[in-house]
Amino acid sequence: MGKSSWFGVIAVAVLGFLCQYFALIWSPPEKTMGNLVRIMYFHVGSAWIAFLAFFVTALFAVIYLIRRNLLFDRIAVASAEIGVVFTSFTLITGSLWAKPIWNTWWTWDPRLTTTLILWFLYVGYLLLRGTIEGLERRARISGIFGIVAFADVPVIHFAVEWWRSIHPQVIDETGFNMPGTMIFTLMFAFAVFFVIYLLLLVLRTRQETQKQRMFLIRQGLQELRAKAFDDSVRGES
Amino acid sequence: MAWSMFWTLVWKELRTELRGGRLVASTLALGVLLFLVVGIALNGASNLTADWSAGLFWMVVFFATSIGMTRADVKEQELGGSLGSLLAPIDRSLIFYAKWFSTFIIVLVSEVGMLIAFLVILNAPVPQNPLHFALVVMGGTLGLTGIGSFLAQLAGSSSLRDILVPLLLFPTTIPLFIALIRLTVISMVPTVSGAHIWVEVLVGYLVLFAVMPFLLYETMMEV
Amino acid sequence: MQQLGYLWGVTAVVWLGTALYIVSLMRRQHKLQQELQQVEKSLSDLRHQTGRE
C-alpha cells in the first residue's frame, strides 16, 4: 500500500472512533427510549447512504445511456453494490433496534417494508448485471433496470404507507424533537459514512475498470492465439 | 399504418399460441396446482377471510404468470420471428405494446381457469360485486403483463433468466399487488372503504409502466 | 450506563460489515491479480511459440 492509502486508512479509523464516541458516549439519552436511541445514528445514517447510493446508480445509468461511456456503467454498479451493503446494515440495525423497544424483530412499518423491497430490487439488479454477456449489452440492460427500479421506489413507498395506514397502526411513531447535540451526532455519523461510501465507490469502480480491461486483454489474447495457430498451420502446409 | 401493424403483431403472437404455444395450458396448470398446494398447506382451506383469499388469489396469479412469461418468447427467438419484427420499419415501442396486449389476452384466458379453481378448491366466496371484480382482474392483468413482458425482455439475455423474471417482477410489482388485493377485498366485501386510493395506485402504476417502455424500449432493443 | 454492551454490538454490525465488504473487495482483487499473472504467462508462451517458427 502506498503512503496515501495508509493516510486514508488512518483518517477513516479516526473518524470512526469519533463517530463511535459521539454516538455512544457524548450525545444525550432520549426520554422514552433511553440509551437505545443511540442506534439511530447508525441506522438512519446507513439508510441515507443506501438511498443516496441507489440514486447515484440511477443517475449514472441515465448518464451512461446518453453518453455511452462504460465508465459511468462501472460507477453505477459500484454504487449499487455498496447500496446493497448499506441497506443490509439498515435492516440489521433496524431489527436490533426494534427488538428492545417494540419487542419484535420485524414490523410492517412502511419505511421498513420499503427498505426490504429496495434490498430485493437491487440484489436483483446485481444478479441481472452479473449474468449478461457482452460489456455494452450488460451496461445497457442493467442501466435500464436501474432507472426503472429507482422510479418505482416512490410508488412502492406510498403504496406501502397507504396500505399500513388503513390497517390498525400497531406502532405509533411519534416524531421526537431532537436537541442540537443529537442532530450534530447524526450529521457527523452521516458524514463519516459518506466518506466511507466515497472511498468504497472509488475502490470498487477502479476494480471494475481493471476487471473490464482484463476481459478485453483476454479477448485480445484469444485472437492472437487463434492467429498464431492459423499461421503455424499455413506454415506446415 | 401503425394500427394495422399493431394488430398484425398481436395476431402473430396469438397465432403462435393457437398453434400449440402451450402458454395458456402451462400457466393454467401451474396456477391450479398452486391453488391445490395452498389448500393443502392451509389444512384444507375453508372459511378463509376475504383478506386471505384475495391475497392468495393474486399471489398464485402473479407467480404462475411470472413463470409462464419467461417462456413466452423462447419459441419466437427459435423461429427468428423476433428478429423479423425488429427489422420492420416501425417504432420499436409498438412491438412492446403488441407483445403486452397479446400476453394480456393469453394470461386473461388462463386466469378464467384459475378463477374457477380458486372458487372451487379454496371454497372462496363469490364476489358480491362481480362487475367490479372483473374490472379489477382486467386492470391487474394489464399491469402485471405490462411490467412482466418488459422485464422478461430485459432479463432475456441473462443466463439466469428463468429465476430472474420472478425475482425482479415481485419487488417491482409490490404497489400493484397491494392495490389489487385491497380492491379485490372491496369487491368481495363492499363495506370496506378506501377504494378510490387503490384505484389511484392501480391507474398510476399502469400509466407509469405504459409510458416508461415508450421511453426505454428503443434503447433496450439495440442489438 | 445500561445497555452499553448491546449498543456496542449493534454498532459493530456496521463496522464489521464494512470490514467484511472490504475483505471481499480484496479477495476479488487477489483473484484479478492471479488472472493477470496467468495472462502474462500465456502471453510469454505465445511469444515463445511464434518466435520459434
Side-chain angles (χ1 to χ4, degrees):
Chain A
M1 280 205 287
K3 221 175 199 168
S4 59
S5 43
W6 274 116
F7 176 76
V9 168
I10 291 168
V12 168
V14 169
L15 283 176
F17 272 111
L18 274 179
C19 181
Q20 203 75 0
Y21 169 74
F22 282 138
L24 290 189
I25 296 159
W26 180 72
S27 70
E30 207 254 340
K31 259 174 272 157
T32 47
M33 278 185 254
N35 281 319
L36 287 168
V37 78
R38 296 170 196 281
I39 296 175
M40 173 190 74
Y41 308 120
F42 291 83
H43 175 69
V44 176
S46 42
W48 284 350
I49 294 293
F51 285 119
L52 178 80
F54 295 144
F55 172 71
V56 169
T57 299
L59 184 71
F60 277 93
V62 172
I63 297 178
Y64 169 74
L65 290 179
I66 296 169
R67 303 291 298 275
R68 298 300 163 117
N69 182 341
L70 279 173
L71 171 68
F72 300 125
D73 162 62
R74 296 193 291 263
I75 297 176
V77 71
S79 190
E81 204 178 282
I82 302 166
V84 168
V85 170
F86 274 89
T87 313
S88 312
F89 294 162
T90 311
L91 289 168
I92 296 171
T93 51
S95 208
L96 290 173
W97 193 12
K99 184 63 190 168
I101 60 168
W102 295 336
N103 202 23
T104 171
W105 296 107
W106 177 262
T107 68
W108 293 100
D109 172 73
R111 267 171 290 177
L112 203 55
T113 314
T114 310
T115 310
L116 185 59
I117 296 168
L118 208 60
W119 190 84
F120 277 110
L121 272 179
Y122 283 91
V123 167
Y125 169 92
L126 292 177
L127 281 174
L128 179 68
R129 192 181 183 280
T131 52
I132 294 178
E133 295 272 325
L135 293 181
E136 259 103 30
R137 189 206 275 163
R138 186 175 76 175
R140 204 177 64 232
I141 287 182
S142 59
I144 291 173
F145 185 71
I147 296 169
V148 171
F150 196 73
D152 203 20
V153 170
V155 187
I156 293 176
H157 183 76
F158 285 120
V160 174
E161 202 164 85
W162 285 326
W163 172 51
R164 292 321 294 170
S165 63
I166 281 173
H167 275 237
Q169 199 91 20
V170 186
I171 287 107
D172 186 32
E173 256 200 280
T174 42
F176 41 82
N177 281 327
M178 280 196 277
T181 47
M182 283 172 80
I183 293 176
F184 171 79
T185 311
L186 181 57
M187 287 304 148
F188 188 81
F190 175 70
V192 173
F193 290 166
F194 185 67
V195 169
I196 293 174
Y197 165 74
L198 281 184
L199 283 175
L200 289 177
L201 188 66
V202 170
L203 287 176
R204 184 65 181 83
T205 307
R206 201 192 280 166
Q207 190 173 63
E208 192 66 25
T209 308
Q210 289 172 352
K211 240 157 104 177
Q212 282 186 5
R213 275 168 65 186
M214 179 66 77
F215 178 77
L216 292 176
I217 288 173
R218 289 209 135 169
Q219 243 178 9
L221 190 67
Q222 244 162 30
E223 277 164 29
L224 217 62
R225 205 181 268 149
K227 205 165 150 251
F229 181 73
D230 263 11
D231 285 351
S232 71
V233 169
R234 209 167 296 145
E236 274 165 31
S237 64
Chain B
M1 166 67 192
W3 272 109
S4 70
M5 206 58 217
F6 176 79
W7 289 115
T8 313
L9 287 170
V10 170
W11 183 232
K12 177 203 72 165
E13 297 277 332
L14 292 181
R15 217 159 38 190
T16 319
E17 176 64 25
L18 285 175
R19 281 185 194 155
R22 302 201 173 90
L23 194 58
V24 170
S26 55
T27 311
L28 180 59
L30 184 62
V32 174
L33 180 66
L34 281 173
F35 277 122
L36 182 71
V37 171
V38 164
I40 293 171
L42 295 177
N43 199 13
S46 55
N47 297 325
L48 290 178
T49 60
D51 276 302
W52 275 71
S53 49
L56 286 174
F57 174 71
W58 283 109
M59 202 194 86
V60 168
V61 168
F62 270 50
F63 200 73
T65 44
S66 70
I67 299 279
M69 209 107 63
T70 322
R71 311 309 305 172
D73 41 49
V74 170
K75 195 173 185 106
E76 196 183 27
Q77 264 166 11
E78 275 170 13
L79 302 175
S82 51
L83 189 64
S85 36
L86 280 183
L87 292 174
I90 43 168
D91 195 283
R92 281 192 182 156
S93 54
L94 198 66
I95 301 173
F96 171 73
Y97 291 118
K99 188 155 224 117
W100 181 356
F101 190 72
S102 54
T103 319
F104 169 69
I105 301 286
I106 291 169
V107 170
L108 206 60
V109 170
S110 51
E111 253 170 14
V112 174
M114 281 191 235
L115 193 63
I116 294 170
F118 170 65
L119 294 173
V120 173
I121 298 179
L122 285 194
N123 252 325
V126 178
Q128 291 184 26
N129 199 338
L131 183 70
H132 191 144
F133 182 72
L135 280 176
V136 172
V137 170
M138 300 251 280
T141 312
L142 200 59
L144 177 63
T145 49
I147 173 123
S149 25
F150 186 69
L151 289 177
Q153 283 283 354
L154 203 62
S157 50
S158 158
S159 54
L160 272 183
R161 56 177 284 166
D162 292 326
I163 190 158
L164 264 183
V165 174
L167 193 64
L168 299 179
L169 187 75
F170 272 99
T172 34
T173 48
I174 290 282
L176 186 70
F177 192 57
I178 296 175
L180 288 173
I181 293 173
R182 298 325 303 163
L183 284 172
T184 308
V185 169
I186 291 166
S187 77
M188 286 172 163
V189 188
T191 48
V192 179
S193 65
H196 59 280
I197 293 179
W198 299 116
V199 172
E200 272 170 32
V201 174
L202 179 61
V203 172
Y205 198 81
L206 281 176
V207 169
L208 181 68
F209 278 100
V211 173
M212 213 140 52
F214 181 71
L215 302 173
L216 293 172
Y217 204 70
E218 190 89 12
T219 317
M220 195 165 95
M221 296 311 288
E222 282 169 27
V223 181
Chain C
M1 218 151 63
Q2 60 187 69
Q3 293 158 326
L4 202 61
Y6 186 69
L7 293 177
W8 276 97
V10 173
T11 54
V13 168
V14 174
W15 300 120
L16 287 182
T18 313
L20 274 179
Y21 181 63
I22 290 172
V23 168
S24 98
L25 279 183
M26 274 158 67
R27 282 181 59 138
R28 280 183 266 180
Q29 196 69 38
H30 185 70
K31 225 179 91 188
L32 217 56
Q33 205 93 40
Q34 276 182 335
E35 233 172 286
L36 186 69
Q37 274 163 5
Q38 236 171 34
V39 168
E40 270 171 350
K41 191 171 161 284
S42 47
L43 197 63
S44 76
D45 280 359
L46 202 67
R47 189 171 295 144
H48 235 68
Q49 239 174 35
T50 46
R52 214 172 33 211
E53 280 162 43

